[in-house]
Amino acid sequence: MRRVQSTPVTAPARLADIAAQAGVSEATVSRVLNGKPGVAATTRQSVLAALDVLGYERPVRLRQRSAGLVGLITPELDNPIFPALTQVIQQALTRQDYTPILATQTPGGATEDQLTEMLVDRGVSGIIFVSGLHADTTADMGRYEQLRAQNMPFVLVDGFSPKVRAPFISPDDRAAMRLAVTHLVSLGHTRIGLALGPRRFVPVVRKIEGFVQVVRDRLGVAPEVIEAELIQHSLYSLEGGQAAASALLDRGCTAVVCASDMMALGAIRAARQRGLEVPDDISVVGFDDSPLIAFTDPPLTTVRKPVPAMGQAAVRALLEEIRSATGADRGDSGARADSGTYGEFVFMPELVVRGSTASGPRA
């Protein structure tokens, strides 16, 4: 593993660089470097992280405060569930004395492979991937085996591939569909649609499997009818949810289950554009329980993704991988092969009933 070359922090220009990286004043940087009181813990951590990211040498009194850098690669942060998960992971890493480096993919920006290369060049101790290419069934999984060949510890969140030897952290997408559909059936809905993203993604495949099974079992609808009439693929966005819900409403659905809260907000917009009221005329269920989603109009019924448990589990699994890799570096035979953390850790979601679901239409 290659470490970035560090240099002492001396020149005022370097103080300015650190201040800009950390988003604080040069005076605050100076207080942190000199061990002065009166600096919030989060601010102090931001300054230390900026030191590490820029490759500057920490003052002696501060060197033991970080066990190393850990990269966190996420999709763009427009969907509020990703910042929520990122916060949990960053806090868990900080508690273990690791310094997180956030690398966010944006349209037209750096690719996952480019961000991975950048983090490896920075000398990170490990990487956590959130909703990355490991979730795309059409992607080449060889990139992760190449990373393993470099003895780089990593953990994969939201997605699974049997071709990759690594710890996976996932919500139970099939169970999420059972929770949502069972709730709607109990309210009297018999024509329930599912709005989700492109079929090539693992969470989408699993949600479809769970949805088809529960609709067949609870409502007696044939799987081929469910696939043809009750499932609509679109984009994971408000606009995507609006388009998918519009198509499902055209097919007579009185309730729509959405694969994200953002899509659910789009479904509510689609209903209102038709003069329909939510939940009086159409019920909508989201997925994630993103921050502030309880304060929408109406408050959204959703399946809560177990973000705190998933984030903490991702960090625990990565630390175990780091310990195994360190043992391998020391020459301990078979340290990585016997780490025992490979496989998928699946976490149960929870139905949160609010104001966007109500009784279905009477016969």
Short mmCIF file of all heavy atoms in Angstrom, two decimals, residues 6 49 58 65 82 115 123-124 152 179 204 257 265 267 280 300 302 318 323 331 347-348 358:
data_model
loop_
_atom_site.label_atom_id
_atom_site.label_comp_id
_atom_site.label_asym_id
_atom_site.label_seq_id
_atom_site.Cartn_x
_atom_site.Cartn_y
_atom_site.Cartn_z
N SER A 6 4.34 12.95 3.37
CA SER A 6 3.89 14.04 4.23
C SER A 6 4.99 15.06 4.42
O SER A 6 6.18 14.74 4.37
CB SER A 6 3.44 13.50 5.59
OG SER A 6 4.52 12.87 6.25
N ALA A 49 -8.47 15.95 9.59
CA ALA A 49 -8.74 15.26 8.33
C ALA A 49 -8.12 16.02 7.16
O ALA A 49 -7.57 15.42 6.23
CB ALA A 49 -10.24 15.09 8.12
N ARG A 58 1.29 15.63 10.82
CA ARG A 58 0.65 16.12 12.04
C ARG A 58 1.71 16.49 13.08
O ARG A 58 2.75 15.83 13.17
CB ARG A 58 -0.26 15.05 12.64
CG ARG A 58 -1.49 14.75 11.83
CD ARG A 58 -2.41 13.83 12.60
NE ARG A 58 -3.63 13.53 11.85
CZ ARG A 58 -4.75 13.13 12.42
NH1 ARG A 58 -4.82 12.95 13.73
NH2 ARG A 58 -5.81 12.88 11.68
N ARG A 65 -3.80 10.51 17.19
CA ARG A 65 -5.26 10.67 17.20
C ARG A 65 -5.93 9.99 16.01
O ARG A 65 -7.14 9.85 16.00
CB ARG A 65 -5.62 12.15 17.21
CG ARG A 65 -5.19 12.83 18.51
CD ARG A 65 -5.89 14.15 18.67
NE ARG A 65 -5.54 14.79 19.93
CZ ARG A 65 -6.15 15.86 20.41
NH1 ARG A 65 -7.15 16.38 19.75
NH2 ARG A 65 -5.76 16.39 21.55
N PHE A 82 -28.53 9.09 1.35
CA PHE A 82 -27.08 8.89 1.25
C PHE A 82 -26.32 9.78 2.23
O PHE A 82 -25.38 9.30 2.89
CB PHE A 82 -26.61 9.09 -0.18
CG PHE A 82 -27.11 8.02 -1.13
CD1 PHE A 82 -27.77 8.35 -2.30
CD2 PHE A 82 -26.94 6.68 -0.82
CE1 PHE A 82 -28.24 7.37 -3.16
CE2 PHE A 82 -27.40 5.69 -1.67
CZ PHE A 82 -28.05 6.03 -2.84
N LEU A 115 -12.12 7.36 -8.56
CA LEU A 115 -12.13 7.71 -7.14
C LEU A 115 -11.39 6.65 -6.32
O LEU A 115 -10.67 6.98 -5.38
CB LEU A 115 -13.58 7.84 -6.65
CG LEU A 115 -14.38 9.01 -7.23
CD1 LEU A 115 -15.82 8.95 -6.75
CD2 LEU A 115 -13.75 10.35 -6.83
N GLY A 123 -3.22 6.49 0.19
CA GLY A 123 -2.77 5.61 1.25
C GLY A 123 -3.83 5.26 2.26
O GLY A 123 -3.53 5.08 3.45
N VAL A 124 -5.10 5.16 1.82
CA VAL A 124 -6.17 4.84 2.76
C VAL A 124 -5.99 3.42 3.31
O VAL A 124 -5.40 2.55 2.66
CB VAL A 124 -7.57 4.97 2.11
CG1 VAL A 124 -7.84 6.41 1.71
CG2 VAL A 124 -7.71 4.04 0.91
N MET A 152 -6.11 -4.37 -0.47
CA MET A 152 -6.84 -3.21 0.01
C MET A 152 -8.17 -3.67 0.62
O MET A 152 -9.03 -4.20 -0.08
CB MET A 152 -7.12 -2.23 -1.14
CG MET A 152 -8.05 -1.07 -0.77
SD MET A 152 -7.43 -0.07 0.60
CE MET A 152 -5.94 0.60 -0.13
N LEU A 179 -43.78 -5.95 3.73
CA LEU A 179 -44.33 -5.01 4.70
C LEU A 179 -45.26 -4.00 4.03
O LEU A 179 -46.37 -3.74 4.52
CB LEU A 179 -43.18 -4.27 5.40
CG LEU A 179 -42.33 -5.09 6.38
CD1 LEU A 179 -41.10 -4.29 6.79
CD2 LEU A 179 -43.15 -5.47 7.60
N VAL A 204 -33.27 -3.61 -7.05
CA VAL A 204 -34.49 -3.61 -7.86
C VAL A 204 -34.96 -5.05 -8.09
O VAL A 204 -36.15 -5.36 -7.93
CB VAL A 204 -34.25 -2.89 -9.20
CG1 VAL A 204 -35.43 -3.08 -10.14
CG2 VAL A 204 -33.99 -1.41 -8.96
N VAL A 257 -46.45 1.53 -4.42
CA VAL A 257 -45.27 1.35 -3.59
C VAL A 257 -44.07 1.84 -4.40
O VAL A 257 -43.90 1.45 -5.55
CB VAL A 257 -45.08 -0.12 -3.21
CG1 VAL A 257 -43.81 -0.29 -2.37
CG2 VAL A 257 -46.29 -0.64 -2.46
N LEU A 265 -42.45 10.96 -3.53
CA LEU A 265 -42.87 12.36 -3.65
C LEU A 265 -43.29 12.66 -5.09
O LEU A 265 -44.23 13.44 -5.33
CB LEU A 265 -41.74 13.29 -3.21
CG LEU A 265 -41.32 13.19 -1.74
CD1 LEU A 265 -40.19 14.18 -1.44
CD2 LEU A 265 -42.50 13.45 -0.83
N ALA A 267 -44.66 10.44 -7.05
CA ALA A 267 -45.96 9.79 -7.21
C ALA A 267 -47.08 10.67 -6.66
O ALA A 267 -48.17 10.76 -7.25
CB ALA A 267 -45.95 8.44 -6.49
N ASP A 280 -56.83 10.00 0.08
CA ASP A 280 -58.25 9.69 -0.12
C ASP A 280 -58.50 8.91 -1.41
O ASP A 280 -59.30 7.97 -1.44
CB ASP A 280 -59.07 10.99 -0.12
CG ASP A 280 -59.03 11.70 1.22
OD1 ASP A 280 -58.71 11.01 2.22
OD2 ASP A 280 -59.30 12.90 1.27
N LEU A 300 -45.25 11.05 4.85
CA LEU A 300 -45.16 9.87 3.99
C LEU A 300 -45.09 8.57 4.79
O LEU A 300 -44.22 8.40 5.65
CB LEU A 300 -43.93 9.99 3.09
CG LEU A 300 -43.75 8.89 2.03
CD1 LEU A 300 -44.86 8.96 1.00
CD2 LEU A 300 -42.39 9.02 1.36
N THR A 302 -43.76 5.01 4.85
CA THR A 302 -42.57 4.52 4.17
C THR A 302 -42.02 3.30 4.89
O THR A 302 -42.39 3.01 6.02
CB THR A 302 -41.50 5.62 4.09
OG1 THR A 302 -40.42 5.21 3.26
CG2 THR A 302 -40.96 5.97 5.46
N LEU A 318 -15.36 -3.44 8.03
CA LEU A 318 -14.13 -2.90 7.43
C LEU A 318 -12.97 -2.98 8.41
O LEU A 318 -11.84 -3.32 8.01
CB LEU A 318 -14.34 -1.45 6.99
CG LEU A 318 -13.13 -0.83 6.29
CD1 LEU A 318 -12.87 -1.52 4.95
CD2 LEU A 318 -13.30 0.66 6.09
N ARG A 323 -7.77 -5.31 9.99
CA ARG A 323 -6.95 -6.12 10.89
C ARG A 323 -6.40 -7.35 10.17
O ARG A 323 -5.24 -7.74 10.35
CB ARG A 323 -7.77 -6.53 12.12
CG ARG A 323 -7.96 -5.42 13.14
CD ARG A 323 -8.55 -5.95 14.42
NE ARG A 323 -9.95 -6.29 14.27
CZ ARG A 323 -10.96 -5.46 14.50
NH1 ARG A 323 -10.70 -4.21 14.89
NH2 ARG A 323 -12.21 -5.83 14.34
N GLY A 331 2.95 -11.04 7.34
CA GLY A 331 3.37 -12.38 6.97
C GLY A 331 2.56 -13.47 7.63
O GLY A 331 2.95 -14.63 7.56
N PHE A 347 -30.17 -6.67 6.83
CA PHE A 347 -30.82 -6.00 7.95
C PHE A 347 -32.30 -5.77 7.65
O PHE A 347 -32.68 -5.36 6.56
CB PHE A 347 -30.13 -4.67 8.24
CG PHE A 347 -28.73 -4.85 8.78
CD1 PHE A 347 -27.67 -5.13 7.92
CD2 PHE A 347 -28.48 -4.76 10.13
CE1 PHE A 347 -26.40 -5.32 8.41
CE2 PHE A 347 -27.20 -4.95 10.63
CZ PHE A 347 -26.16 -5.22 9.77
N MET A 348 -33.13 -6.03 8.64
CA MET A 348 -34.58 -5.97 8.48
C MET A 348 -35.08 -4.53 8.52
O MET A 348 -34.78 -3.79 9.45
CB MET A 348 -35.25 -6.78 9.60
CG MET A 348 -36.74 -6.90 9.46
SD MET A 348 -37.20 -7.90 8.03
CE MET A 348 -39.00 -7.78 8.09
N ALA A 358 -54.36 5.15 3.15
CA ALA A 358 -55.69 5.09 3.76
C ALA A 358 -56.47 3.97 3.11
O ALA A 358 -55.97 3.31 2.19
CB ALA A 358 -56.42 6.43 3.64
#
